């Protein structure tokens, strides 16, 4: 591509033609100034050409320069706006800065040095903004690509993982000697762990992408569904699952994220039981009396979490215990999902006594359309 | 019971066949790596009742003809004759809940299963369908 030296373009609106001639003369060497004497022509020019700087006189016949600059701000955010005025008008200055986001002022009569330095600074500002804008686009694109990559990689990983599980199942059924059987059970454990991690990754990326959809929510039903789904999980068979709720009307909320939260908290309560005790329980309570929020609690009498670890369990990949198959991403996902719906979480826990999570989820009845 | 398996992975076809055999559920298992071939096989035998499978286990994500494409074609061209005769079960490792929800909306689909096949659950489901 041939690189031609193009001068930055300035749109100058002033109802006095001799001012336009004057500014053109000052800036001729470095800039291309395109002038017009009314707002209507300025709109036309803006729609046809790209400008780096827009200079407008405060008084444009019946029109107001500040209003004009304010009006083009949304549609043309990049050009730097300069207001030209014969005297300092305090009200116009305030409005210009606060509302129209004017970058600087020029005063009449025009002083050559002042005009040149103001325009140079404005142009530099334009270039910085344009670069920032470009970098922002690039960054967003890279982020989106990374998300898509992880998401589709996790999806693709699942099929071979499930294959391995199938082969293990066949091998176990078809009779193998005890030692080999033991090895297979170890492989199975690892594969299950990898699969669970993978499913978590997928729900993490879904959480970050999915739009919020508000649906009627029955907390009791979600809790029961999740528990039923995991009741055959190793160690889940002897747990007494208690549901205590006063919800008798549908509660509106983000079902997708609430399910993610229930899934992780309930499976954690199942996973982190104390194997030696016989009265294992998980108690779920739900209180929707307050019209502004739902208060949920998930309580277990499992291994508990000591105080030092309580602060860190919501960190990504943080694991409070070596004892389990976790990858340390579950509660991080819970936290992310809670953030999306503006909810708070609190933890009360004592080692070898149990853990209680208390959630406050704000009601989303009046959603902005 | 006669099974027809459609999956683009040979390992999956082998594993599922073995699981069905070991569970003592199958009198015969016919496998297809391509949904298109399975469809044309069904066309050929559509009037031969003794050759028809009782159950089709169908994967979702497959190249050229996906499980959904298969279902659309099957319903259009064979639905009237075989719709009631054969139970179609989805067997997939998809991590996308939407795939399962979409599959469950097909009337010919009698169940959706995650891989590897839970034969006990399948047995219970088939007993329920046939009773």
């Amino acid at each position: 591509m041939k690189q031609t030296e193009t001068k930055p373009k300035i749109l100058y609106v002033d109802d006095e033609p001799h001012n336009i001639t004057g500014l053109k003369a000052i800036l001729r060497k470095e800039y291309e100034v395109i002038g017009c004497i009314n707002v209507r022509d300025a709109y036309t020019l803006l729609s046809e050409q790209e400008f780096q700087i827009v200079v407008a006189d405060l008084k444009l016949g019946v029109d107001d320069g500040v209003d004009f600059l304010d009006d083009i701000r949304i549609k043309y955010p990049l050009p730097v706006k300069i207001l030209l005025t014969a005297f300092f008008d305090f009200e116009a200055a305030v409005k210009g800065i606060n509302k129209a986001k004017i970058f600087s002022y020029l005063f009449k009569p025009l002083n050559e040095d002042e005009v040149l330095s103001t325009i140079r600074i404005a142009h530099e500002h334009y270039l910085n903004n344009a670069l920032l804008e470009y970098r922002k686009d690039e960054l967003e694109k890279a982020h989106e690509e990374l998300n898509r990559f992880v998401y589709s990689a996790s999806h693709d990983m699942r099929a071979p993982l499930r294959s391995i599980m199938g082969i293990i199942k066949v091998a176990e059924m078809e009779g193998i000697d005890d030692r080999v059987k033991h090895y297979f059970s170890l492989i199975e454990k690892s594969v299950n762990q990898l699969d669970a991690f993978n499913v978590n990754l997928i729900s993490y990326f879904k959480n970050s992408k999915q739009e919020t959809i508000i649906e009627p929510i029955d907390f009791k039903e979600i809790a029961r569904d999740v528990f039923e789904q995991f009741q055959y999980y190793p160690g889940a068979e002897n747990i007494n699952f208690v549901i205590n709720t006063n919800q008798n009307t549908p509660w509106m909320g983000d079902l997708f994220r609430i399910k993610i939260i229930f899934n992780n908290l309930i499976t954690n309560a199942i996973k982190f039981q104390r194997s030696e005790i016989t009265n294992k329980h998980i108690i779920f309570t739900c209180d929707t009396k307050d019209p502004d929020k739902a208060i949920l609690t998930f309580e277990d009498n499992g291994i508990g979490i000591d105080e030092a670890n309580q602060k860190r369990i919501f960190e990504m990949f943080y694991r409070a215990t070596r004892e389990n198959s976790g990858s340390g991403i579950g509660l991080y996902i819970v936290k992310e999902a809670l953030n999306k719906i503006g909810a708070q979480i609190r933890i009360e826990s004592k080692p070898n006594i149990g853990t209680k999570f208390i959630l406050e989820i704000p009601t989303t009845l009046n959603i902005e359309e | 019971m006669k099974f027809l398996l459609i999956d683009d992975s040979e390992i999956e076809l082998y594993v599922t066949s073995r699981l069905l055999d070991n569970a003592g559920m199958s009198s015969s298992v016919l496998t297809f790596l391509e949904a298109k071939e399975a469809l044309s096989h069904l066309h050929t035998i559509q009037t031969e009742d003794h050759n028809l499978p009782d159950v089709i286990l169908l994967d979702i994500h497959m190249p050229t003809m996906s499980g959904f494409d298969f279902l659309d074609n099957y319903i259009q061209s064979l639905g009237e004759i075989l719709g009631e005769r054969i139970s179609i079960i989805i067997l997939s490792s998809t991590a996308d809940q939407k795939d399962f929800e979409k599959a469950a909306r097909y009337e010919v689909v009698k169940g959706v299963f995650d891989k590897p096949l839970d034969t006990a659950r399948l047995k219970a489901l088939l007993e329920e369908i046939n009773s």
Side-chain angles (χ1 to χ4, degrees):
Chain A
M1 202 167 57
K2 208 175 92 186
Q3 195 75 33
T4 46
E5 191 73 32
T6 52
K7 292 177 182 169
K9 263 193 202 170
I10 300 172
L11 174 65
Y12 178 30
V13 204
D14 196 320
D15 57 349
E16 289 168 65
H18 71 269
N19 281 340
I20 297 177
T21 318
L23 195 80
K24 275 187 176 170
I26 297 173
L27 297 171
R28 204 181 57 235
K29 273 191 198 147
E30 289 175 50
Y31 303 91
E32 184 184 349
V33 178
I34 295 171
C36 64
I37 54 165
N38 59 51
V39 166
R40 208 189 39 177
D41 289 351
Y43 280 119
T44 313
L45 283 163
L46 275 167
S47 70
E48 291 168 351
Q49 313 180 29
E50 219 173 277
F51 293 95
Q52 280 80 53
I53 297 167
V54 178
V55 182
D57 191 13
L58 178 61
K59 304 269 182 259
L60 291 165
V62 290
D63 292 306
D64 179 299
V66 177
D67 287 341
F68 164 70
L69 290 176
D70 182 40
D71 195 47
I72 65 169
R73 186 167 52 89
I74 305 290
K75 202 167 173 196
Y76 305 100
L78 270 182
V80 177
K81 283 104 184 159
I82 294 174
L83 192 71
L84 194 64
T85 170
F87 52 90
F88 188 77
D89 177 335
F90 184 74
E91 210 177 305
V94 170
K95 194 170 150 199
I97 290 167
N98 288 353
K99 199 163 165 246
K101 307 278 182 254
I102 283 161
F103 178 71
S104 62
Y105 279 83
L106 278 173
F107 290 98
K108 290 193 231 178
L110 296 171
N111 169 303
E112 190 169 336
D113 290 341
E114 197 195 316
V115 168
L116 269 174
S117 88
T118 304
I119 295 286
R120 271 182 202 138
I121 293 168
H123 185 237
E124 213 169 279
H125 185 70
Y126 168 84
L127 290 177
N128 285 339
N129 271 349
L131 187 68
L132 212 62
E133 207 50 41
Y134 174 73
R135 290 268 187 268
K136 201 180 110 204
D137 281 353
E138 265 192 337
L139 208 62
E140 269 169 15
K141 226 164 82 196
H143 181 73
E144 173 63 28
E145 272 167 14
L146 187 67
N147 268 4
R148 251 209 318 269
F149 172 76
V150 176
Y151 186 67
S152 59
S154 328
H155 260 271
D156 292 349
M157 240 190 292
R158 193 153 196 271
L161 273 178
R162 304 302 290 190
S163 253
I164 297 171
M165 287 174 172
I167 299 164
I168 294 167
K169 222 166 146 178
V170 172
E172 280 171 349
M173 275 173 140
E174 296 189 353
I176 37 181
D177 79 56
D178 283 351
R179 206 149 50 109
V180 179
K181 205 171 210 159
H182 176 63
Y183 296 148
F184 268 92
S185 75
L186 292 178
I187 296 173
E188 187 174 28
K189 216 170 137 191
S190 297
V191 174
N192 275 328
Q193 196 178 331
L194 196 52
D195 189 51
F197 175 61
N198 209 29
V199 168
N200 268 337
L201 267 188
I202 291 168
S203 67
Y204 168 72
F205 282 98
K206 269 194 187 151
N207 175 53
S208 67
K209 272 163 73 175
Q210 172 129 343
E211 304 278 320
T212 300
I213 305 164
I214 304 298
E215 294 167 81
I217 283 172
D218 182 343
F219 288 114
K220 191 188 351 179
E221 198 185 293
I222 300 173
R224 197 186 300 124
D225 282 354
V226 173
F227 193 76
E228 264 166 28
Q229 198 185 328
F230 291 98
Q231 62 184 327
Y232 300 114
Y233 198 93
E237 53 280 337
N238 300 319
I239 301 173
N240 185 20
F241 191 59
V242 182
I243 297 176
N244 228 323
T245 137
N246 65 12
Q247 181 191 8
N248 38 33
T249 49
W251 192 87
M252 301 299 285
D254 186 336
L255 182 63
F256 171 76
R257 294 198 167 80
I258 286 175
K259 273 188 178 167
I260 289 183
I261 295 161
F262 273 60
N263 242 314
N264 279 291
L265 291 180
I266 293 175
T267 50
N268 273 356
I270 295 173
K271 269 197 265 184
F272 298 106
Q273 286 288 336
R274 280 174 292 159
S275 52
E276 69 277 10
I277 65 167
T278 49
N279 62 336
K280 301 185 184 98
H281 68 236
I282 298 170
I283 304 166
F284 168 69
T285 75
C286 160
D287 180 356
T288 56
K289 274 201 309 282
D290 188 336
D292 295 331
K293 63 187 180 224
I295 299 170
L296 315 177
T297 66
F298 298 83
E299 187 181 348
D300 64 60
N301 55 350
I303 61 172
I305 306 158
D306 63 43
E307 219 174 312
N309 277 319
Q310 287 176 24
K311 293 190 193 76
R312 302 200 56 193
I313 48 171
F314 292 104
E315 290 173 19
M316 194 183 218
F317 299 126
Y318 186 78
R319 292 166 62 205
T321 170
R322 212 170 39 75
E323 299 277 308
N324 218 281
S325 61
S327 55
I329 200 171
L331 285 180
Y332 176 74
I333 291 170
V334 167
K335 187 83 183 151
E336 290 289 298
L338 287 168
N339 284 345
K340 288 258 180 188
I341 59 176
Q344 302 289 328
I345 191 162
R346 224 158 26 86
I347 175 174
E348 288 169 5
S349 184
K350 280 216 167 70
N352 286 321
I353 304 278
T355 302
K356 184 177 184 179
F357 285 102
I358 302 121
L359 280 68
E360 283 187 18
I361 309 177
T363 309
T364 39
L365 268 175
N366 310 307
I367 338 141
E368 282 171 51
E369 289 299 325
Chain B
M1 223 180 285
K2 291 200 194 72
F3 285 87
L4 190 151
L5 275 43
I6 307 169
D7 199 307
D8 62 315
S9 152
E10 279 196 62
I11 297 176
E12 288 301 336
L13 288 174
Y14 177 77
V15 165
T16 309
S17 306
R18 297 303 305 145
L19 289 172
L20 288 169
D21 275 358
N22 288 335
M25 291 175 71
S26 53
S27 58
S28 81
V29 179
L30 200 56
T31 61
F32 288 91
L33 280 161
E34 298 227 13
K36 207 175 272 171
E37 280 172 29
L39 198 65
S40 71
H41 171 75
L42 287 167
H43 270 282
T44 319
I45 59 156
Q46 57 181 295
T47 55
E48 307 165 21
D49 194 66
H50 61 285
N51 277 330
L52 285 173
D54 304 296
V55 182
I56 296 173
L57 293 179
L58 178 66
D59 186 21
I60 294 178
H61 293 288
M62 293 181 284
T64 66
M65 185 186 266
S66 74
F68 293 126
D69 296 336
F70 173 87
L71 286 170
D72 292 335
N73 270 295
Y74 174 86
I75 290 163
Q76 211 197 2
S77 58
L78 295 165
E80 248 174 78
I81 314 160
L82 304 179
E84 295 291 305
R85 171 72 175 73
I86 302 175
S87 302
I88 299 183
I89 308 284
I90 299 293
L91 180 62
S92 166
S93 62
T94 181
D96 198 339
Q97 199 55 35
K98 285 201 190 92
D99 284 338
F100 279 145
E101 283 164 15
K102 183 179 173 189
R105 282 198 290 271
Y106 284 89
E107 213 178 308
V108 292
V109 172
K110 306 297 181 203
V112 287
F113 283 67
D114 196 10
K115 282 175 186 168
L117 180 65
D118 179 343
T119 47
R121 211 188 116 207
L122 180 64
K123 209 173 202 168
L125 177 72
L126 293 175
E127 270 163 20
E128 195 187 303
I129 293 168
N130 295 328
S131 67

